[in-house]
C-alpha cells in the first residue's frame, strides 16, 4: 500500500517514524473500510489486501500510537468483528482534515508546487 502510481503529480501525506509509515493514504483507507464493514477480513477484501497484510498495517499504527486504533471481538456464538477505537476515529478524522487543507483545489502552495512538476513534464527534453 505504500507504492502508488499516479498518471499526474499528486500531493500525498505520509506520517513516518524511523522507517515505518505510521499513517498514509492506504492505512487511512483500511481504517475507513474496517469502520464501514465492521470486519478486518471484509475491509481486506474490499481493498485487495491479504488479511495478514491488513494486520501488519494495523500493527504498525498500533506500535507508534499511544493505544490501539482497531478493536476486535472474537466470533463464537456471537458475531465477531472489528471497529475503530476512539483514537482510530480521531486519527482518520485528523488525517482527512489535513488532506483537505492540502488539496490543490483549496491550497495555493500545493497548486503551485504541482504546477512546477507538471511544467517539467510538459517541457520537451
Amino acid at each position: 500500500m505504500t507504492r502508488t502510481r499516479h498518471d499526474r503529480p499528486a500531493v500525498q501525506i505520509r506520517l513516518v517514524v524511523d522507517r515505518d509509515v505510521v499513517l498514509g493514504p492506504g492505512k487511512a483507507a483500511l481504517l475507513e473500510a474496517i469502520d464501514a464493514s465492521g470486519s478486518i477480513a471484509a475491509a481486506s477484501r474490499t481493498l485487495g489486501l491479504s488479511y495478514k497484510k491488513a494486520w501488519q498495517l494495523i500493527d504498525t499504527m498500533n506500535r507508534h500510537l499511544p493505544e490501539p486504533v482497531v478493536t476486535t471481538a472474537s466470533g463464537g456464538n456471537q458475531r465477531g468483528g472489528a471497529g475503530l477505537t476512539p483514537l482510530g476515529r480521531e486519527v482518520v478524522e485528523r488525517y482527512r482534515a489535513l488532506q483537505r487543507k492540502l488539496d490543490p483545489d483549496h491550497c495555493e502552495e500545493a497548486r503551485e508546487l504541482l504546477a512546477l512538476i507538471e511544467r517539467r513534464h510538459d517541457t520537451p527534453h
Side-chain angles (χ1 to χ4, degrees):
M1 294 191 89
T2 59
R3 301 284 181 239
T4 57
R5 171 142 172 70
H6 300 279
D7 294 331
R8 298 186 53 154
V11 174
Q12 285 191 342
I13 303 164
R14 296 185 193 281
L15 305 176
V16 180
V17 176
D18 296 323
R19 300 178 114 187
D20 290 336
V21 177
V22 178
L23 187 63
K27 288 185 177 86
L30 175 61
L31 293 176
E32 289 170 328
I34 291 168
D35 196 36
S37 68
S39 163
I40 295 169
S44 300
R45 285 190 298 274
T46 298
L47 298 173
L49 295 174
S50 72
Y51 183 77
K52 180 180 178 182
K53 181 63 176 178
W55 264 113
Q56 289 171 340
L57 298 173
I58 293 165
D59 181 61
T60 299
M61 290 183 277
N62 287 343
R63 282 187 287 113
H64 292 285
L65 291 163
E67 58 191 61
V69 292
V70 173
T71 183
T72 58
S74 58
N77 292 337
Q78 301 287 335
R79 182 177 180 268
L84 299 187
T85 63
L87 177 62
R89 279 197 174 81
E90 181 180 357
V91 164
V92 171
E93 288 169 9
R94 289 178 184 269
Y95 181 82
R96 294 303 186 202
L98 186 55
Q99 271 189 319
R100 286 189 298 275
K101 285 183 180 182
L102 293 177
D103 183 315
D105 291 338
H106 308 289
C107 177
E108 183 178 347
E109 291 84 357
R111 195 169 41 251
E112 290 172 353
L113 184 59
L114 289 173
L116 292 174
I117 295 168
E118 288 172 345
R119 190 173 72 204
R120 164 84 167 107
H121 286 272
D122 292 338
T123 305
H125 300 313

